[in-house]
Amino acid sequence: GQQVMQIPQYQHVQEGEDFTTYCNSSTTLSNIQWYKQRPGGHPVFLIQLVKSGEVKKQKRLTFQFGEAKKNSSLHITATQTTDVGTYFCAGYNQGGKLIFGQGTELSVKP
Amino acid sequence: GAGVSQSPRYKVTKRGQDVALRCDPISGHVSLYWYRQALGQGPEFLTYFNYEAQQDKSGLPNDRFSAERPEGSISTLTIQRTEQRDSAMYRCASSQAQVGEQYFGPGTRLTVT
């Protein structure tokens, strides 16, 4: 069945460094979403990308959707301790099922 | 209004017992999803509803698991004859439309002893 894979699984950075997580799907996605889950919390929606090649920015966060709509990335510029958490990508298949990647856990050392 | 709520937040049950987990979505949300999330993993799809209709139950692990949303609002995930391997965080999410932003509840931590 459809799989969504993320790398890396863990990323440890010094505060102020940049961070990128990558997401790849085994099939073409109708759209892709990104969620953030803080330790002990629940996933919280960040953004949705729909168009091939789309790029969206939220302050220090930049999201990209690949031309083939099979991959995506999230880049954080100048990380802060508030960025700590696990970032998940998730893609809808044609049947309306949302498939999550395994997430990238970000830790930020002050 | 209020977000997605789930009850109970924690449930400890003995092997072989049945459990019912409840999800109260955001009012007016069309779609409701059930997930299971293991520690360090992403949410694993179980099933979803549009209004009261179950659209996809392909993620339910076996026939001990069932879900319903009879009036298109509150949903119940039932696990019969629980086993230790059923221990996990069970999460519910709702969305205004079928393909859209999902709002997650706090989850129910199920422990089967």
Side-chain angles (χ1 to χ4, degrees), chain B residues 19-95:
Chain B
V19 295
L21 312 181
R22 173 183 165 130
C23 172
D24 202 339
I26 293 172
S27 178
H29 275 198
V30 168
S31 299
L32 185 149
Y33 293 77
W34 282 100
Y35 297 92
R36 183 166 65 176
Q37 187 174 20
L39 203 60
Q41 298 293 316
E44 174 194 7
F45 171 85
L46 296 177
T47 185
Y48 89 95
F49 296 82
N50 283 341
Y51 301 102
E52 72 283 356
Q54 192 169 21
Q55 299 294 319
D56 187 332
K57 57 180 181 179
S58 62
L60 296 177
N62 51 60
D63 60 9
R64 295 186 297 105
F65 288 71
S66 62
E68 63 174 8
R69 193 187 185 198
E71 296 179 0
S73 179
I74 294 168
S75 177
T76 303
L77 177 69
T78 301
I79 309 173
Q80 296 180 312
R81 305 181 303 282
T82 52
E83 301 177 4
Q84 283 192 322
R85 59 178 171 156
D86 299 333
S87 297
M89 175 71 82
Y90 289 84
R91 296 199 185 274
C92 168
S94 70
S95 63

Side-chain angles (χ1 to χ4, degrees), chain A residues 46-104:
Chain A
L46 293 176
I47 208 159
Q48 176 169 284
L49 304 170
V50 179
K51 299 176 184 174
S52 168
E54 189 170 13
V55 178
K56 286 189 176 179
K57 293 191 176 186
Q58 288 180 350
K59 297 182 180 177
R60 294 178 295 104
L61 278 60
T62 302
F63 303 84
Q64 293 190 4
F65 199 10
E67 293 290 341
K69 301 184 76 173
K70 294 180 73 172
N71 57 70
S72 181
S73 65
L74 158 60
H75 180 82
I76 303 178
T77 303
T79 54
Q80 300 175 358
T81 55
T82 53
D83 296 326
V84 163
T86 301
Y87 293 85
F88 294 101
C89 64
Y92 276 103
N93 68 5
Q94 298 297 330
K97 182 193 302 187
L98 191 62
I99 308 297
F100 280 79
Q102 66 267 50
T104 296

